[in-house]
């Protein structure tokens, strides 16, 4: 028996938006810039992107903060150990963008903005509508966004000369 599933774009989707303080955003900026474009624009990110798994202690501390203090607002209190599977950085210059994509089979994905000037391109979720327009979030320095990994998302072309730097990652569940 074949079943037809229908996708409803109007469904409510939990997206967590907060601000994180206490991390050295200037250091994150230097670390992203020092790495340059390791991926050679071969991924969905058409900007300077680091390796997939940055192994800096400060990045581990950021990931631990997200797991310990923020993921519960999306996951609820369940008996699972959350783990950041991959973490990378990106630096967007004028004209850089990210092609729409999702991060399955991860459970959650996150974006943390160590640097984001006024006019930085938003994070866009094309399948979510709010007030009759596509839902997007304009980043600011210190902002954290966590969302289900199945959500398609992207970044339009950076039109401002200002900074737009992001540390992104994927979160998986590890059961005992």
């Amino acid at each position: 028996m074949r079943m037809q599933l229908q996708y409803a774009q109007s469904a409510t989707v939990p997206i967590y938006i907060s601000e994180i303080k206490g991390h050295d955003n200037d250091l994150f900026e230097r670390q992203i810039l020092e790495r340059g474009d390791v991926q050679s624009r071969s991924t969905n990110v058409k900007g300077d992107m680091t390796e997939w798994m940055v192994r800096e202690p400060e990045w581990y501390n950021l990931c631990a903060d997200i797991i310990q203090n923020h993921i519960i607002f999306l996951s609820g209190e369940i008996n699972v150990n959350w783990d950041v599977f991959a973490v990378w950085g990106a630096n967007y210059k004028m004209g850089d963008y990210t092609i729409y994509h999702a991060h399955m089979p991860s459970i959650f994905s996150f974006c943390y903005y160590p640097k984001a000037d006024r006019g930085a391109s938003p994070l866009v979720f094309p399948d979510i509508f709010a007030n009759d327009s596509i839902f997007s979030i304009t980043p600011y320095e210190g902002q954290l966004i966590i969302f289900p990994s199945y959500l398609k998302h992207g970044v339009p072309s950076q039109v401002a000369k200002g900074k737009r730097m992001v540390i992104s990652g994927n979160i998986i569940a590890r059961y005992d």
Side-chain angles (χ1 to χ4, degrees), residues 103-170:
H103 292 276
M104 291 300 291
S106 298
I107 307 289
F108 296 111
S109 296
F110 70 85
C111 295
Y112 173 74
Y113 297 92
K115 298 291 177 181
D117 290 340
R118 178 177 286 237
S121 291
L123 176 64
V124 177
F125 296 91
D127 295 331
I128 302 175
F129 292 85
N131 301 324
D132 294 326
S133 54
I134 293 174
F135 183 66
S136 65
I137 303 166
T138 302
Y140 60 85
E141 186 170 324
Q143 183 181 45
L144 171 68
I145 302 168
I146 307 173
F147 53 93
S149 294
Y150 65 81
L151 286 179
K152 190 185 310 181
H153 58 285
V155 177
S157 183
Q158 174 77 358
V159 295
K161 286 188 178 183
K163 296 177 182 177
R164 186 188 194 283
M165 292 188 169
V166 64
I167 295 174
S168 298
N170 291 325

Side-chain angles (χ1 to χ4, degrees), residues 7-22:
Y7 176 69
Q9 291 183 332
S10 61
T12 302
V13 178
I15 296 176
Y16 176 78
I17 305 170
S18 187
E19 184 174 347
I20 298 182
K21 297 184 184 213

Side-chain angles (χ1 to χ4, degrees), residues 1-119:
M1 178 170 144
R2 181 182 241 186
M3 296 182 72
Q4 285 234 333
L5 301 177
Q6 296 204 3
Y7 176 69
Q9 291 183 332
S10 61
T12 302
V13 178
I15 296 176
Y16 176 78
I17 305 170
S18 187
E19 184 174 347
I20 298 182
K21 297 184 184 213
H23 294 280
D24 189 342
N25 291 330
D26 292 331
L27 177 61
F28 287 146
E29 176 184 21
R30 283 192 308 275
Q31 291 169 332
I32 291 170
L33 289 174
E34 286 169 1
R35 284 171 164 74
D37 186 18
V38 174
Q39 303 295 340
S40 302
R41 297 174 187 254
S42 63
T43 71
N44 293 313
V45 176
K46 303 309 177 191
D48 293 350
M49 184 177 157
T50 69
E51 63 272 26
W52 288 109
M53 192 54 155
V54 174
R55 299 186 186 280
E56 297 285 353
E58 300 83 11
W59 293 47
Y60 279 108
N61 292 340
L62 173 66
C63 292
D65 185 358
I66 292 168
I67 296 294
Q68 293 167 7
N69 300 310
H70 299 277
I71 198 71
I72 191 169
F73 293 102
L74 281 180
S75 68
E77 294 186 30
I78 60 173
N79 188 19
V80 63
N81 293 316
W82 297 108
D83 190 20
V84 174
F85 176 70
V87 62
W88 62 94
N91 178 35
Y92 292 77
K93 299 175 194 147
M94 279 192 68
D96 292 348
Y97 61 97
T98 296
I99 297 169
Y100 288 123
H101 65 285
H103 292 276
M104 291 300 291
S106 298
I107 307 289
F108 296 111
S109 296
F110 70 85
C111 295
Y112 173 74
Y113 297 92
K115 298 291 177 181
D117 290 340
R118 178 177 286 237

